[in-house]
Amino acid sequence: MNEIKPYSKAIVLLLKKTVECNSPEWNNILMFQKDIQDYLAVIGLELVIKRDEGFAYVKQIVMEDDTTLSLVQRRQLSYEVSVILIVLRQLLEDFDNNPTDTHSTEKYVSANDIKDEVRMLLPEKYNMAKFEKDLDSHIQTVVKLGFLKEIWNGNNDTRYMIHRIIKEKVTLDDLDLFRQKTEEYAGTR
């Protein structure tokens, strides 16, 4: 008869979302890391634990022919959401390289800060009226994707914590590629 393992809840949680170090299942993930990895490998997933960053998640195993078992469906992100992710990743990178508050290990940002940073990256001919109308919706998409966590919501602004998993999903190579494309685009105008 099959028995429920002590790490079963941890696996279910990992299949749903990124697990943070303050989760009740964090210790089980650390304690049963090998067992969890063995289980996940059967379905083409890999356990990634970032102890220093305080979270764990699963990702698809890439096989020798650069394919996966396609357990997780990849979604195309809108241009605006992509720009927001690039902005957030750059803000986190800048914070990590030049921390202003030595007591904080987390980067916090307001919705207005995000909007200001994104405005600077959009092309001159971009439809700014539509952008302004839809930007809050795009930021909420980023929250739903797990890259931002709402911390405080005031009358005129909202504060977020940038989740460190963004470093795993948007790499420094992605930042460089975005910069190159932006420079190329600016050079063709």
Side-chain angles (χ1 to χ4, degrees):
M1 185 113 196
N2 289 336
E3 66 180 77
I4 294 179
K5 304 289 184 189
Y7 50 86
S8 295
K9 278 186 179 180
I11 291 174
V12 171
L13 195 57
L14 283 162
L15 291 172
K16 290 180 180 180
K17 63 181 185 175
T18 301
V19 178
E20 297 182 37
C21 62
N22 58 359
S23 166
E25 292 304 317
W26 178 254
N27 287 334
N28 282 337
I29 291 171
L30 297 179
M31 193 177 340
F32 297 106
Q33 180 177 349
K34 183 179 178 339
D35 296 312
I36 293 171
Q37 178 54 55
D38 291 345
Y39 177 87
L40 293 171
V42 172
I43 57 173
L45 296 174
E46 175 184 357
L47 174 63
V48 178
I49 299 175
K50 296 291 185 175
R51 281 191 174 116
D52 294 344
E53 306 282 352
F55 64 90
Y57 68 101
V58 294
K59 69 178 188 177
Q60 294 187 92
I61 295 173
V62 178
M63 296 180 281
E64 290 178 15
D65 62 354
D66 283 336
T67 62
T68 66
L69 294 179
S70 299
L71 180 64
V72 179
Q73 187 177 17
R74 294 183 64 115
R75 289 184 224 131
Q76 184 73 27
L77 300 175
S78 71
Y79 173 75
E80 295 83 1
V81 170
S82 298
V83 170
I84 292 170
L85 291 176
I86 292 293
V87 162
L88 295 174
R89 178 61 173 93
Q90 186 62 59
L91 288 171
L92 187 57
E93 186 65 20
D94 293 345
F95 173 79
D96 286 347
N97 289 331
N98 303 302
T100 55
D101 181 1
T102 56
H103 300 295
S104 178
T105 58
E106 304 300 338
K107 172 65 177 162
Y108 298 93
V109 63
S110 72
N112 287 332
D113 292 338
I114 296 169
K115 292 173 185 178
D116 291 343
E117 292 289 330
V118 170
R119 277 186 200 102
M120 292 190 302
L121 292 178
L122 294 175
E124 287 178 20
K125 295 181 181 180
Y126 195 80
N127 183 343
M128 291 309 254
K130 181 171 176 8
F131 163 77
E132 292 292 336
K133 180 179 158 242
D134 296 341
L135 189 55
D136 287 327
S137 171
H138 296 309
I139 291 173
Q140 283 309 305
T141 299
V142 173
V143 170
K144 288 177 187 166
L145 291 170
F147 297 112
L148 282 176
K149 182 177 182 180
E150 187 174 311
I151 301 299
W152 177 82
N153 193 338
N155 292 338
N156 297 327
D157 205 2
T158 305
R159 287 201 64 73
Y160 300 96
M161 179 191 77
I162 301 174
H163 198 295
R164 292 193 165 274
I165 194 156
I166 200 168
K167 292 172 76 174
E168 300 297 311
K169 305 293 183 173
V170 181
T171 66
L172 292 176
D173 290 339
D174 294 329
L175 288 179
D176 289 339
L177 181 63
F178 185 81
R179 276 191 214 104
Q180 289 172 3
K181 287 186 177 190
T182 303
E183 290 168 8
E184 287 171 13
Y185 179 79
T188 60
R189 287 192 273 159

